[in-house]
mmCIF file of all heavy atoms in Angstrom:
data_model
loop_
_atom_site.group_PDB
_atom_site.id
_atom_site.type_symbol
_atom_site.label_atom_id
_atom_site.label_comp_id
_atom_site.label_asym_id
_atom_site.label_seq_id
_atom_site.Cartn_x
_atom_site.Cartn_y
_atom_site.Cartn_z
ATOM 1 N N MET V 24 146.030 -0.835 48.281
ATOM 2 C CA MET V 24 144.777 -0.215 48.749
ATOM 3 C C MET V 24 144.450 -0.741 50.152
ATOM 4 O O MET V 24 144.527 -1.936 50.410
ATOM 5 C CB MET V 24 143.656 -0.612 47.796
ATOM 6 C CG MET V 24 142.331 0.041 48.156
ATOM 7 S SD MET V 24 140.991 -0.652 47.199
ATOM 8 C CE MET V 24 141.554 -0.355 45.568
ATOM 9 N N TRP V 29 138.973 -0.055 50.486
ATOM 10 C CA TRP V 29 138.309 -1.101 49.706
ATOM 11 C C TRP V 29 136.829 -1.166 50.053
ATOM 12 O O TRP V 29 135.981 -1.372 49.199
ATOM 13 C CB TRP V 29 138.987 -2.448 49.994
ATOM 14 C CG TRP V 29 138.641 -3.487 48.981
ATOM 15 C CD1 TRP V 29 139.262 -3.706 47.791
ATOM 16 C CD2 TRP V 29 137.586 -4.442 49.043
ATOM 17 N NE1 TRP V 29 138.656 -4.742 47.133
ATOM 18 C CE2 TRP V 29 137.623 -5.212 47.871
ATOM 19 C CE3 TRP V 29 136.581 -4.724 49.981
ATOM 20 C CZ2 TRP V 29 136.733 -6.229 47.607
ATOM 21 C CZ3 TRP V 29 135.694 -5.738 49.718
ATOM 22 C CH2 TRP V 29 135.781 -6.482 48.548
ATOM 23 N N PHE V 30 136.541 -0.975 51.348
ATOM 24 C CA PHE V 30 135.155 -1.083 51.775
ATOM 25 C C PHE V 30 134.344 0.183 51.542
ATOM 26 O O PHE V 30 133.142 0.134 51.423
ATOM 27 C CB PHE V 30 135.076 -1.466 53.262
ATOM 28 C CG PHE V 30 135.056 -2.945 53.467
ATOM 29 C CD1 PHE V 30 136.180 -3.627 53.861
ATOM 30 C CD2 PHE V 30 133.901 -3.675 53.230
ATOM 31 C CE1 PHE V 30 136.166 -5.002 54.023
ATOM 32 C CE2 PHE V 30 133.869 -5.039 53.386
ATOM 33 C CZ PHE V 30 135.007 -5.703 53.784
ATOM 34 N N SER V 31 135.044 1.336 51.478
ATOM 35 C CA SER V 31 134.286 2.581 51.319
ATOM 36 C C SER V 31 133.746 2.681 49.894
ATOM 37 O O SER V 31 134.420 2.329 48.938
ATOM 38 C CB SER V 31 135.188 3.771 51.624
ATOM 39 O OG SER V 31 136.235 3.792 50.695
ATOM 40 N N LEU V 52 137.849 14.440 28.642
ATOM 41 C CA LEU V 52 137.980 12.971 28.660
ATOM 42 C C LEU V 52 138.540 12.463 29.990
ATOM 43 O O LEU V 52 139.340 11.521 30.025
ATOM 44 C CB LEU V 52 138.847 12.465 27.496
ATOM 45 C CG LEU V 52 138.321 12.711 26.090
ATOM 46 C CD1 LEU V 52 139.309 12.182 25.050
ATOM 47 C CD2 LEU V 52 136.975 12.038 25.885
ATOM 48 N N ASN V 54 138.629 10.302 33.094
ATOM 49 C CA ASN V 54 138.063 8.976 33.381
ATOM 50 C C ASN V 54 136.949 9.044 34.415
ATOM 51 O O ASN V 54 135.920 8.378 34.288
ATOM 52 C CB ASN V 54 139.163 8.037 33.897
ATOM 53 C CG ASN V 54 140.041 7.540 32.773
ATOM 54 O OD1 ASN V 54 140.026 8.097 31.674
ATOM 55 N ND2 ASN V 54 140.808 6.493 33.043
ATOM 56 N N LEU V 58 133.169 7.773 34.019
ATOM 57 C CA LEU V 58 132.607 6.788 34.954
ATOM 58 C C LEU V 58 131.346 7.328 35.628
ATOM 59 O O LEU V 58 130.371 6.605 35.827
ATOM 60 C CB LEU V 58 133.634 6.438 36.027
ATOM 61 C CG LEU V 58 134.537 5.243 35.748
ATOM 62 C CD1 LEU V 58 135.595 5.125 36.834
ATOM 63 C CD2 LEU V 58 133.751 3.955 35.677
ATOM 64 N N GLN V 61 128.474 7.281 33.215
ATOM 65 C CA GLN V 61 128.089 5.883 32.969
ATOM 66 C C GLN V 61 127.321 5.316 34.162
ATOM 67 O O GLN V 61 126.355 4.569 33.986
ATOM 68 C CB GLN V 61 129.341 5.041 32.708
ATOM 69 C CG GLN V 61 129.913 5.237 31.313
ATOM 70 C CD GLN V 61 131.043 4.270 31.008
ATOM 71 O OE1 GLN V 61 131.713 3.780 31.903
ATOM 72 N NE2 GLN V 61 131.261 4.015 29.725
ATOM 73 N N ASP V 83 126.799 -4.023 28.974
ATOM 74 C CA ASP V 83 128.104 -3.356 29.049
ATOM 75 C C ASP V 83 128.550 -2.861 27.670
ATOM 76 O O ASP V 83 129.055 -1.741 27.536
ATOM 77 C CB ASP V 83 129.154 -4.321 29.620
ATOM 78 C CG ASP V 83 129.338 -4.108 31.104
ATOM 79 O OD1 ASP V 83 128.569 -3.313 31.680
ATOM 80 O OD2 ASP V 83 130.246 -4.739 31.680
ATOM 81 N N ASN V 87 129.228 0.970 26.515
ATOM 82 C CA ASN V 87 130.516 1.400 25.947
ATOM 83 C C ASN V 87 130.318 2.058 24.578
ATOM 84 O O ASN V 87 130.888 3.113 24.293
ATOM 85 C CB ASN V 87 131.461 0.207 25.807
ATOM 86 C CG ASN V 87 131.915 -0.307 27.158
ATOM 87 O OD1 ASN V 87 131.821 0.397 28.150
ATOM 88 N ND2 ASN V 87 132.371 -1.535 27.199
ATOM 89 N N GLN V 95 132.282 11.250 21.019
ATOM 90 C CA GLN V 95 132.565 11.760 19.670
ATOM 91 C C GLN V 95 131.740 13.003 19.391
ATOM 92 O O GLN V 95 132.208 13.982 18.817
ATOM 93 C CB GLN V 95 132.236 10.680 18.631
ATOM 94 C CG GLN V 95 133.330 9.620 18.526
ATOM 95 C CD GLN V 95 132.896 8.411 17.730
ATOM 96 O OE1 GLN V 95 131.723 8.251 17.402
ATOM 97 N NE2 GLN V 95 133.857 7.553 17.425
ATOM 98 N N GLU V 98 133.178 15.874 21.158
ATOM 99 C CA GLU V 98 134.429 16.304 20.537
ATOM 100 C C GLU V 98 134.204 17.074 19.238
ATOM 101 O O GLU V 98 134.859 18.087 18.982
ATOM 102 C CB GLU V 98 135.322 15.089 20.285
ATOM 103 C CG GLU V 98 136.759 15.477 20.068
ATOM 104 C CD GLU V 98 137.683 14.289 20.199
ATOM 105 O OE1 GLU V 98 137.847 13.554 19.213
ATOM 106 O OE2 GLU V 98 138.208 14.086 21.302
ATOM 107 N N ALA V 155 136.610 6.027 8.929
ATOM 108 C CA ALA V 155 137.942 6.609 9.095
ATOM 109 C C ALA V 155 138.719 5.891 10.184
ATOM 110 O O ALA V 155 139.909 5.595 10.031
ATOM 111 C CB ALA V 155 137.809 8.090 9.434
ATOM 112 N N ARG V 160 143.105 2.381 11.660
ATOM 113 C CA ARG V 160 143.532 1.186 12.398
ATOM 114 C C ARG V 160 144.309 0.245 11.453
ATOM 115 O O ARG V 160 145.351 -0.277 11.794
ATOM 116 C CB ARG V 160 142.302 0.461 12.970
ATOM 117 C CG ARG V 160 142.653 -0.532 14.098
ATOM 118 C CD ARG V 160 141.523 -1.505 14.380
ATOM 119 N NE ARG V 160 140.225 -0.902 14.521
ATOM 120 C CZ ARG V 160 139.727 -0.421 15.673
ATOM 121 N NH1 ARG V 160 140.451 -0.491 16.760
ATOM 122 N NH2 ARG V 160 138.523 0.100 15.709
ATOM 123 N N HIS V 178 148.878 10.486 19.341
ATOM 124 C CA HIS V 178 147.490 10.725 18.946
ATOM 125 C C HIS V 178 146.469 9.785 19.570
ATOM 126 O O HIS V 178 145.283 10.105 19.603
ATOM 127 C CB HIS V 178 147.379 10.638 17.418
ATOM 128 C CG HIS V 178 148.095 11.742 16.729
ATOM 129 N ND1 HIS V 178 147.631 13.032 16.704
ATOM 130 C CD2 HIS V 178 149.292 11.757 16.074
ATOM 131 C CE1 HIS V 178 148.475 13.797 16.041
ATOM 132 N NE2 HIS V 178 149.508 13.057 15.653
ATOM 133 N N ILE V 179 146.909 8.636 20.059
ATOM 134 C CA ILE V 179 145.942 7.683 20.642
ATOM 135 C C ILE V 179 146.136 7.579 22.154
ATOM 136 O O ILE V 179 145.177 7.673 22.914
ATOM 137 C CB ILE V 179 146.069 6.295 19.964
ATOM 138 C CG1 ILE V 179 145.748 6.444 18.461
ATOM 139 C CG2 ILE V 179 145.121 5.290 20.609
ATOM 140 C CD1 ILE V 179 146.009 5.211 17.634
ATOM 141 N N ASP V 180 147.412 7.417 22.570
ATOM 142 C CA ASP V 180 147.651 7.269 24.010
ATOM 143 C C ASP V 180 147.713 8.607 24.743
ATOM 144 O O ASP V 180 147.640 8.646 25.974
ATOM 145 C CB ASP V 180 148.959 6.493 24.258
ATOM 146 C CG ASP V 180 148.893 5.092 23.643
ATOM 147 O OD1 ASP V 180 147.768 4.586 23.460
ATOM 148 O OD2 ASP V 180 149.949 4.512 23.325
ATOM 149 N N ARG V 205 157.865 12.175 13.524
ATOM 150 C CA ARG V 205 156.412 12.022 13.492
ATOM 151 C C ARG V 205 155.830 12.707 12.256
ATOM 152 O O ARG V 205 154.883 12.205 11.650
ATOM 153 C CB ARG V 205 155.779 12.570 14.771
ATOM 154 C CG ARG V 205 154.324 12.130 14.887
ATOM 155 C CD ARG V 205 153.676 12.460 16.195
ATOM 156 N NE ARG V 205 153.654 13.887 16.432
ATOM 157 C CZ ARG V 205 154.285 14.484 17.419
ATOM 158 N NH1 ARG V 205 155.024 13.777 18.260
ATOM 159 N NH2 ARG V 205 154.226 15.783 17.566
ATOM 160 N N MET V 209 153.446 10.909 9.684
ATOM 161 C CA MET V 209 152.089 11.394 9.399
ATOM 162 C C MET V 209 151.908 11.587 7.896
ATOM 163 O O MET V 209 150.867 11.254 7.328
ATOM 164 C CB MET V 209 151.817 12.712 10.143
ATOM 165 C CG MET V 209 151.561 12.538 11.620
ATOM 166 S SD MET V 209 150.185 11.469 12.021
ATOM 167 C CE MET V 209 148.828 12.443 11.422
ATOM 168 N N LYS V 210 152.928 12.127 7.261
ATOM 169 C CA LYS V 210 152.859 12.338 5.810
ATOM 170 C C LYS V 210 152.697 10.987 5.105
ATOM 171 O O LYS V 210 151.914 10.828 4.178
ATOM 172 C CB LYS V 210 154.121 13.054 5.315
ATOM 173 C CG LYS V 210 154.083 14.535 5.617
ATOM 174 C CD LYS V 210 155.391 15.206 5.252
ATOM 175 C CE LYS V 210 155.352 16.679 5.665
ATOM 176 N NZ LYS V 210 156.649 17.307 5.599
ATOM 177 N N LEU V 212 151.422 8.328 6.431
ATOM 178 C CA LEU V 212 150.079 7.803 6.739
ATOM 179 C C LEU V 212 149.027 8.446 5.839
ATOM 180 O O LEU V 212 148.137 7.765 5.312
ATOM 181 C CB LEU V 212 149.746 8.076 8.221
ATOM 182 C CG LEU V 212 148.414 7.554 8.742
ATOM 183 C CD1 LEU V 212 148.333 6.029 8.658
ATOM 184 C CD2 LEU V 212 148.191 7.977 10.201
ATOM 185 N N LYS V 220 142.198 5.189 -0.732
ATOM 186 C CA LYS V 220 140.952 5.738 -1.294
ATOM 187 C C LYS V 220 140.965 5.606 -2.814
ATOM 188 O O LYS V 220 139.965 5.224 -3.423
ATOM 189 C CB LYS V 220 140.786 7.203 -0.881
ATOM 190 C CG LYS V 220 140.354 7.345 0.567
ATOM 191 C CD LYS V 220 140.007 8.758 0.909
ATOM 192 C CE LYS V 220 138.692 9.123 0.273
ATOM 193 N NZ LYS V 220 137.784 9.774 1.157
ATOM 194 N N THR V 221 142.111 5.932 -3.390
ATOM 195 C CA THR V 221 142.205 5.887 -4.855
ATOM 196 C C THR V 221 141.978 4.459 -5.354
ATOM 197 O O THR V 221 141.171 4.227 -6.257
ATOM 198 C CB THR V 221 143.611 6.361 -5.315
ATOM 199 O OG1 THR V 221 143.889 7.592 -4.664
ATOM 200 C CG2 THR V 221 143.661 6.544 -6.809
ATOM 201 N N GLU Z 27 146.864 18.222 16.956
ATOM 202 C CA GLU Z 27 147.735 18.840 15.959
ATOM 203 C C GLU Z 27 146.925 19.329 14.755
ATOM 204 O O GLU Z 27 145.859 18.796 14.453
ATOM 205 C CB GLU Z 27 148.753 17.809 15.473
ATOM 206 C CG GLU Z 27 149.987 17.732 16.355
ATOM 207 C CD GLU Z 27 150.998 16.818 15.719
ATOM 208 O OE1 GLU Z 27 150.609 15.743 15.235
ATOM 209 O OE2 GLU Z 27 152.167 17.188 15.713
ATOM 210 N N PHE Z 29 146.551 19.172 11.136
ATOM 211 C CA PHE Z 29 146.979 18.197 10.131
ATOM 212 C C PHE Z 29 147.414 18.837 8.810
ATOM 213 O O PHE Z 29 148.033 18.176 7.992
ATOM 214 C CB PHE Z 29 145.863 17.158 9.888
ATOM 215 C CG PHE Z 29 145.867 16.089 10.935
ATOM 216 C CD1 PHE Z 29 145.416 16.346 12.210
ATOM 217 C CD2 PHE Z 29 146.364 14.831 10.656
ATOM 218 C CE1 PHE Z 29 145.438 15.376 13.177
ATOM 219 C CE2 PHE Z 29 146.402 13.850 11.623
ATOM 220 C CZ PHE Z 29 145.934 14.124 12.902
ATOM 221 N N TYR Z 32 151.011 18.612 7.623
ATOM 222 C CA TYR Z 32 151.543 17.401 7.009
ATOM 223 C C TYR Z 32 151.227 17.316 5.511
ATOM 224 O O TYR Z 32 151.609 16.356 4.852
ATOM 225 C CB TYR Z 32 150.980 16.157 7.699
ATOM 226 C CG TYR Z 32 151.290 16.121 9.180
ATOM 227 C CD1 TYR Z 32 150.285 15.957 10.118
ATOM 228 C CD2 TYR Z 32 152.609 16.274 9.628
ATOM 229 C CE1 TYR Z 32 150.558 15.934 11.467
ATOM 230 C CE2 TYR Z 32 152.894 16.259 10.985
ATOM 231 C CZ TYR Z 32 151.860 16.089 11.898
ATOM 232 O OH TYR Z 32 152.148 16.078 13.220
ATOM 233 N N ARG Z 40 141.997 15.658 -2.830
ATOM 234 C CA ARG Z 40 142.035 14.260 -2.370
ATOM 235 C C ARG Z 40 143.011 14.090 -1.202
ATOM 236 O O ARG Z 40 142.743 13.336 -0.260
ATOM 237 C CB ARG Z 40 142.441 13.358 -3.539
ATOM 238 C CG ARG Z 40 141.263 13.137 -4.492
ATOM 239 C CD ARG Z 40 141.709 12.538 -5.796
ATOM 240 N NE ARG Z 40 142.299 11.215 -5.595
ATOM 241 C CZ ARG Z 40 142.906 10.527 -6.555
ATOM 242 N NH1 ARG Z 40 143.016 11.048 -7.776
ATOM 243 N NH2 ARG Z 40 143.403 9.348 -6.330
ATOM 244 N N GLU Z 41 144.118 14.834 -1.281
ATOM 245 C CA GLU Z 41 145.090 14.747 -0.195
ATOM 246 C C GLU Z 41 144.523 15.367 1.098
ATOM 247 O O GLU Z 41 144.687 14.829 2.186
ATOM 248 C CB GLU Z 41 146.387 15.457 -0.593
ATOM 249 C CG GLU Z 41 147.524 15.088 0.351
ATOM 250 C CD GLU Z 41 148.837 15.769 -0.013
ATOM 251 O OE1 GLU Z 41 148.981 16.204 -1.166
ATOM 252 O OE2 GLU Z 41 149.693 15.864 0.872
ATOM 253 N N GLN Z 47 140.550 12.517 6.974
ATOM 254 C CA GLN Z 47 140.121 11.175 7.355
ATOM 255 C C GLN Z 47 141.082 10.567 8.402
ATOM 256 O O GLN Z 47 140.662 9.922 9.356
ATOM 257 C CB GLN Z 47 140.084 10.288 6.109
ATOM 258 C CG GLN Z 47 139.192 9.074 6.282
ATOM 259 C CD GLN Z 47 138.969 8.335 4.979
ATOM 260 O OE1 GLN Z 47 139.706 8.511 4.004
ATOM 261 N NE2 GLN Z 47 137.937 7.527 4.951
ATOM 262 N N VAL Z 48 142.360 10.801 8.202
ATOM 263 C CA VAL Z 48 143.353 10.305 9.166
ATOM 264 C C VAL Z 48 143.124 10.965 10.526
ATOM 265 O O VAL Z 48 143.147 10.291 11.576
ATOM 266 C CB VAL Z 48 144.787 10.570 8.652
ATOM 267 C CG1 VAL Z 48 145.813 10.394 9.766
ATOM 268 C CG2 VAL Z 48 145.106 9.643 7.486
ATOM 269 N N GLY Z 51 140.091 9.461 12.073
ATOM 270 C CA GLY Z 51 140.373 8.074 12.461
ATOM 271 C C GLY Z 51 141.181 8.001 13.741
ATOM 272 O O GLY Z 51 140.892 7.203 14.637
ATOM 273 N N ALA Z 53 141.334 10.286 16.047
ATOM 274 C CA ALA Z 53 140.465 10.733 17.163
ATOM 275 C C ALA Z 53 139.555 9.590 17.594
ATOM 276 O O ALA Z 53 139.330 9.371 18.798
ATOM 277 C CB ALA Z 53 139.650 11.942 16.727
ATOM 278 N N ARG Z 56 141.497 7.108 19.572
ATOM 279 C CA ARG Z 56 141.792 7.648 20.905
ATOM 280 C C ARG Z 56 140.573 7.482 21.826
ATOM 281 O O ARG Z 56 140.693 7.063 22.979
ATOM 282 C CB ARG Z 56 142.156 9.142 20.784
ATOM 283 C CG ARG Z 56 142.628 9.760 22.093
ATOM 284 C CD ARG Z 56 143.385 11.037 21.813
ATOM 285 N NE ARG Z 56 142.605 11.930 20.958
ATOM 286 C CZ ARG Z 56 141.783 12.881 21.411
ATOM 287 N NH1 ARG Z 56 141.677 13.063 22.701
ATOM 288 N NH2 ARG Z 56 141.113 13.661 20.595
ATOM 289 N N LEU Z 57 139.373 7.795 21.279
ATOM 290 C CA LEU Z 57 138.156 7.660 22.085
ATOM 291 C C LEU Z 57 137.878 6.194 22.417
ATOM 292 O O LEU Z 57 137.469 5.864 23.530
ATOM 293 C CB LEU Z 57 136.961 8.273 21.361
ATOM 294 C CG LEU Z 57 136.965 9.799 21.282
ATOM 295 C CD1 LEU Z 57 135.719 10.288 20.566
ATOM 296 C CD2 LEU Z 57 137.016 10.416 22.679
ATOM 297 N N GLU Z 58 138.108 5.333 21.429
ATOM 298 C CA GLU Z 58 137.896 3.898 21.672
ATOM 299 C C GLU Z 58 138.783 3.411 22.814
ATOM 300 O O GLU Z 58 138.341 2.659 23.685
ATOM 301 C CB GLU Z 58 138.258 3.101 20.409
ATOM 302 C CG GLU Z 58 137.071 2.820 19.507
ATOM 303 C CD GLU Z 58 137.441 1.908 18.354
ATOM 304 O OE1 GLU Z 58 138.415 1.130 18.457
ATOM 305 O OE2 GLU Z 58 136.749 1.991 17.339
ATOM 306 N N LYS Z 59 140.025 3.867 22.787
ATOM 307 C CA LYS Z 59 140.966 3.453 23.829
ATOM 308 C C LYS Z 59 140.502 3.979 25.197
ATOM 309 O O LYS Z 59 140.550 3.263 26.200
ATOM 310 C CB LYS Z 59 142.368 3.993 23.514
ATOM 311 C CG LYS Z 59 143.402 3.495 24.490
ATOM 312 C CD LYS Z 59 144.785 3.873 24.057
ATOM 313 C CE LYS Z 59 145.801 3.268 25.014
ATOM 314 N NZ LYS Z 59 145.941 4.031 26.237
ATOM 315 N N LYS Z 60 140.052 5.211 25.184
ATOM 316 C CA LYS Z 60 139.588 5.828 26.436
ATOM 317 C C LYS Z 60 138.387 5.069 27.009
ATOM 318 O O LYS Z 60 138.334 4.766 28.201
ATOM 319 C CB LYS Z 60 139.230 7.299 26.152
ATOM 320 C CG LYS Z 60 138.762 8.112 27.318
ATOM 321 C CD LYS Z 60 139.704 8.142 28.475
ATOM 322 C CE LYS Z 60 140.829 9.112 28.331
ATOM 323 N NZ LYS Z 60 141.592 9.251 29.602
ATOM 324 N N VAL Z 61 137.443 4.742 26.108
ATOM 325 C CA VAL Z 61 136.237 4.029 26.562
ATOM 326 C C VAL Z 61 136.620 2.638 27.090
ATOM 327 O O VAL Z 61 136.093 2.194 28.121
ATOM 328 C CB VAL Z 61 135.196 3.943 25.419
ATOM 329 C CG1 VAL Z 61 134.063 3.004 25.788
ATOM 330 C CG2 VAL Z 61 134.637 5.333 25.125
ATOM 331 N N GLU Z 63 139.425 1.811 28.418
ATOM 332 C CA GLU Z 63 140.131 2.047 29.688
ATOM 333 C C GLU Z 63 139.121 2.253 30.819
ATOM 334 O O GLU Z 63 139.237 1.662 31.895
ATOM 335 C CB GLU Z 63 140.968 3.309 29.489
ATOM 336 C CG GLU Z 63 142.097 3.516 30.454
ATOM 337 C CD GLU Z 63 142.840 4.805 30.064
ATOM 338 O OE1 GLU Z 63 143.482 4.808 28.993
ATOM 339 O OE2 GLU Z 63 142.745 5.801 30.797
ATOM 340 N N VAL Z 64 138.108 3.073 30.535
ATOM 341 C CA VAL Z 64 137.082 3.358 31.549
ATOM 342 C C VAL Z 64 136.261 2.099 31.826
ATOM 343 O O VAL Z 64 135.878 1.836 32.978
ATOM 344 C CB VAL Z 64 136.182 4.532 31.085
ATOM 345 C CG1 VAL Z 64 134.997 4.708 32.016
ATOM 346 C CG2 VAL Z 64 136.991 5.809 31.025
ATOM 347 N N GLU Z 67 138.066 0.018 34.201
ATOM 348 C CA GLU Z 67 137.974 0.636 35.531
ATOM 349 C C GLU Z 67 136.599 0.355 36.161
ATOM 350 O O GLU Z 67 136.485 0.066 37.347
ATOM 351 C CB GLU Z 67 138.164 2.148 35.378
ATOM 352 C CG GLU Z 67 138.980 2.779 36.482
ATOM 353 C CD GLU Z 67 139.314 4.227 36.149
ATOM 354 O OE1 GLU Z 67 139.916 4.471 35.076
ATOM 355 O OE2 GLU Z 67 138.949 5.098 36.939
ATOM 356 N N ARG Z 68 135.584 0.438 35.305
ATOM 357 C CA ARG Z 68 134.213 0.196 35.774
ATOM 358 C C ARG Z 68 134.045 -1.257 36.251
ATOM 359 O O ARG Z 68 133.408 -1.508 37.271
ATOM 360 C CB ARG Z 68 133.236 0.493 34.634
ATOM 361 C CG ARG Z 68 131.793 0.594 35.098
ATOM 362 C CD ARG Z 68 130.863 1.012 33.980
ATOM 363 N NE ARG Z 68 130.675 -0.021 32.990
ATOM 364 C CZ ARG Z 68 130.957 0.093 31.687
ATOM 365 N NH1 ARG Z 68 131.431 1.220 31.228
ATOM 366 N NH2 ARG Z 68 130.754 -0.899 30.863
ATOM 367 N N GLN Z 69 134.647 -2.167 35.520
ATOM 368 C CA GLN Z 69 134.563 -3.578 35.908
ATOM 369 C C GLN Z 69 135.178 -3.800 37.288
ATOM 370 O O GLN Z 69 134.628 -4.531 38.114
ATOM 371 C CB GLN Z 69 135.285 -4.469 34.876
ATOM 372 C CG GLN Z 69 134.559 -4.619 33.554
ATOM 373 C CD GLN Z 69 133.141 -5.125 33.718
ATOM 374 O OE1 GLN Z 69 132.883 -6.026 34.495
ATOM 375 N NE2 GLN Z 69 132.209 -4.510 33.007
ATOM 376 N N ARG Z 74 134.344 -4.853 42.882
ATOM 377 C CA ARG Z 74 134.568 -4.483 44.279
ATOM 378 C C ARG Z 74 133.229 -4.294 44.995
ATOM 379 O O ARG Z 74 133.049 -4.723 46.117
ATOM 380 C CB ARG Z 74 135.382 -3.194 44.353
ATOM 381 C CG ARG Z 74 136.064 -3.017 45.700
ATOM 382 C CD ARG Z 74 136.660 -1.656 45.850
ATOM 383 N NE ARG Z 74 137.619 -1.325 44.811
ATOM 384 C CZ ARG Z 74 138.092 -0.094 44.622
ATOM 385 N NH1 ARG Z 74 137.684 0.887 45.380
ATOM 386 N NH2 ARG Z 74 138.945 0.157 43.668
ATOM 387 N N TRP Z 77 131.663 -7.682 45.788
ATOM 388 C CA TRP Z 77 132.255 -8.351 46.947
ATOM 389 C C TRP Z 77 131.902 -7.648 48.242
ATOM 390 O O TRP Z 77 131.695 -8.280 49.274
ATOM 391 C CB TRP Z 77 133.782 -8.439 46.785
ATOM 392 C CG TRP Z 77 134.149 -9.541 45.854
ATOM 393 C CD1 TRP Z 77 134.634 -9.424 44.590
ATOM 394 C CD2 TRP Z 77 134.014 -10.953 46.089
ATOM 395 N NE1 TRP Z 77 134.807 -10.658 44.033
ATOM 396 C CE2 TRP Z 77 134.443 -11.623 44.930
ATOM 397 C CE3 TRP Z 77 133.570 -11.710 47.178
ATOM 398 C CZ2 TRP Z 77 134.449 -13.007 44.815
ATOM 399 C CZ3 TRP Z 77 133.575 -13.094 47.069
ATOM 400 C CH2 TRP Z 77 134.009 -13.727 45.906
ATOM 401 N N ARG Z 78 131.835 -6.298 48.154
ATOM 402 C CA ARG Z 78 131.477 -5.531 49.356
ATOM 403 C C ARG Z 78 130.078 -5.922 49.820
ATOM 404 O O ARG Z 78 129.833 -6.168 50.988
ATOM 405 C CB ARG Z 78 131.541 -4.038 49.037
ATOM 406 C CG ARG Z 78 131.832 -3.196 50.237
ATOM 407 C CD ARG Z 78 132.220 -1.782 49.888
ATOM 408 N NE ARG Z 78 131.567 -1.282 48.703
ATOM 409 C CZ ARG Z 78 132.173 -0.627 47.730
ATOM 410 N NH1 ARG Z 78 133.452 -0.402 47.807
ATOM 411 N NH2 ARG Z 78 131.505 -0.183 46.684
#
Side-chain angles (χ1 to χ4, degrees):
Chain V
M24 183 190 303
W29 196 86
F30 271 102
S31 63
L52 297 179
N54 283 16
L58 268 174
Q61 283 187 335
D83 263 7
N87 291 341
Q95 281 168 350
E98 198 164 84
R160 198 196 312 273
H178 293 287
I179 299 172
D180 300 336
R205 193 172 61 244
M209 285 302 292
K210 282 174 184 168
L212 182 62
K220 285 188 73 133
T221 310
Chain Z
E27 274 187 316
F29 279 74
Y32 302 126
R40 283 166 63 188
E41 194 180 340
Q47 201 170 17
V48 166
R56 186 161 52 92
L57 289 181
E58 266 186 25
K59 185 172 184 280
K60 181 56 81 171
V61 170
E63 199 178 292
V64 172
E67 219 171 304
R68 194 175 71 239
Q69 287 305 317
R74 200 190 303 168
W77 282 108
R78 207 166 33 226

